[in-house]
């Protein structure tokens, strides 16, 4: 079992991957040199998979799996979580909006005795319509499911291995990651982190793909 793994779903992230790897390695090496980065290619129409394969050829810490078709972000995350075997697992997006440098603070907070530390995206750098649609969705979703939802909290966070094992064992066909995290329980908290601005392009996933 490795100490820490990072699971990154990919869809139209090819231009971000080299920088993401570089920044992740700097952060992870400070935490513990026993780490791996697992990219899950969700049948991206760009050359995400080619970029991952090229980097992995010369870096044993970079792993990757490529899905047979586009299943959606949360199914891509689930595929990655079914493979990693580490004490701590980080889940984050691949477009650099989830700032890699935040992992160190998330990990330090987890060591205070938390099984789950989710990143609360302060001052979101998304466009107005995306922020509004996200806020409305989480409000409606919370109402329909009678749960408390925070539009500032997404997938980004660090999770102890027993949390991920519990999620993998659920076997639910619906894999909306934030809901599964809320469902399994365990001791959790949230930590404010910076939110990065996309340097190019538009949001990788459509709203529908982000929710399935």
């Amino acid at each position: 079992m490795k100490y820490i793994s990072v699971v990154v779903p990919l869809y139209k992230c090819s231009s971000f991957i080299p920088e993401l790897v570089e920044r992740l390695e700097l952060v992870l090496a400070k935490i513990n040199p026993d780490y791996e980065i697992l990219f899950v290619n969700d049948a991206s129409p760009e050359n995400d998979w080619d970029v991952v394969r090229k980097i992995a050829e010369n870096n044993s810490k970079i792993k990757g799996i490529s899905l047979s078709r586009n299943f959606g972000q949360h199914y891509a995350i689930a595929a990655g979580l079914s493979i990693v075997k580490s004490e701590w697992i980080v889940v984050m997006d691949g477009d650099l909006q989830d700032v890699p440098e935040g992992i160190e603070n998330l990990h330090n907070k987890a060591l205070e005795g938390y099984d789950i530390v989710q990143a609360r995206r302060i001052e979101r750098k998304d466009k107005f319509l995306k922020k509004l649609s996200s806020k409305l969705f989480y409000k409606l979703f919370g109402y329909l499911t009678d749960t408390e939802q925070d539009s500032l909290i997404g997938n980004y966070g660090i999770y102890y291995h027993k949390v991920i094992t519990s999620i993998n064992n659920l076997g639910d066909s619906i894999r909306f990651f934030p809901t599964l995290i809320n469902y399994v329980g365990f001791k959790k908290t949230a930590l404010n982190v910076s939110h990065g601005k996309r340097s190019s392009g538009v949001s990788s996933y459509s709203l529908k793909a982000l929710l399935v």
Side-chain angles (χ1 to χ4, degrees):
M1 178 181 285
K2 292 188 177 297
Y3 182 75
I4 188 168
S5 294
V6 181
V7 175
V8 186
L10 295 177
Y11 189 79
K12 296 183 179 179
C13 293
S14 57
S15 63
F16 305 112
I17 296 171
E19 180 182 345
L20 178 58
V21 169
E22 182 179 352
R23 291 168 63 180
L24 277 174
E25 291 203 305
L26 288 174
V27 173
L28 296 173
K30 291 171 60 178
I31 295 173
N32 192 304
D34 187 22
Y35 68 85
E36 66 178 1
I37 303 169
L38 175 64
F39 290 105
V40 183
N41 175 42
D42 193 17
S44 173
E46 296 182 358
N47 63 327
D48 299 39
W49 185 236
D50 291 334
V51 175
V52 170
R53 289 177 60 184
K54 184 175 181 180
I55 296 174
E57 286 178 359
N58 300 307
N59 190 335
S60 62
K61 292 184 179 295
I62 307 301
K63 312 293 184 182
I65 58 176
S66 188
L67 304 185
S68 60
R69 66 170 177 84
N70 177 246
F71 286 89
Q73 184 187 49
H74 296 282
Y75 289 95
I77 291 172
L81 296 181
S82 70
I83 294 175
V84 294
K85 305 294 181 184
S86 296
E87 185 172 350
W88 293 100
I89 297 94
V90 173
V91 175
M92 66 185 302
D93 292 343
D95 59 5
L96 294 176
Q97 287 196 273
D98 289 341
V99 179
E101 291 75 18
I103 295 175
E104 185 173 9
N105 289 336
L106 294 172
H107 175 256
N108 289 339
K109 189 67 178 180
L111 294 183
E112 295 178 11
Y114 295 99
D115 301 308
I116 299 168
V117 183
Q118 295 173 294
R120 184 184 293 110
R121 299 165 292 183
I122 56 174
E123 299 182 5
R124 289 185 62 172
K125 301 300 196 307
D126 296 314
K127 293 183 179 179
F128 173 77
L129 286 179
K130 182 176 181 180
K131 288 190 287 186
L132 178 61
S133 62
S134 177
K135 186 175 182 178
L136 291 175
F137 164 77
Y138 279 103
K139 187 174 182 178
L140 178 61
F141 187 80
Y143 173 78
L144 294 175
T145 59
D146 195 26
T147 59
E148 185 176 346
Q149 303 291 329
D150 186 345
S151 63
L152 297 181
I153 293 177
N155 304 315
Y156 190 21
I158 190 168
Y159 310 94
Y160 196 48
H161 64 88
K162 64 183 180 181
V163 176
I164 301 306
T165 297
S166 296
I167 287 177
N168 289 338
N169 290 339
L170 287 176
D172 290 14
S173 59
I174 303 300
R175 304 304 296 177
F176 187 59
F177 187 65
T179 297
L180 297 178
I181 287 296
N182 288 334
Y183 179 78
V184 296
F186 297 102
K187 187 176 182 181
K188 69 176 181 177
T189 189
L191 192 68
N192 290 344
V193 298
S194 299
H195 189 231
K197 184 177 181 180
R198 285 181 66 93
S199 59
S200 63
V202 296
S203 181
S204 304
Y205 283 101
S206 66
L207 180 61
K208 179 180 177 180
L210 289 168
L211 304 182
V212 297

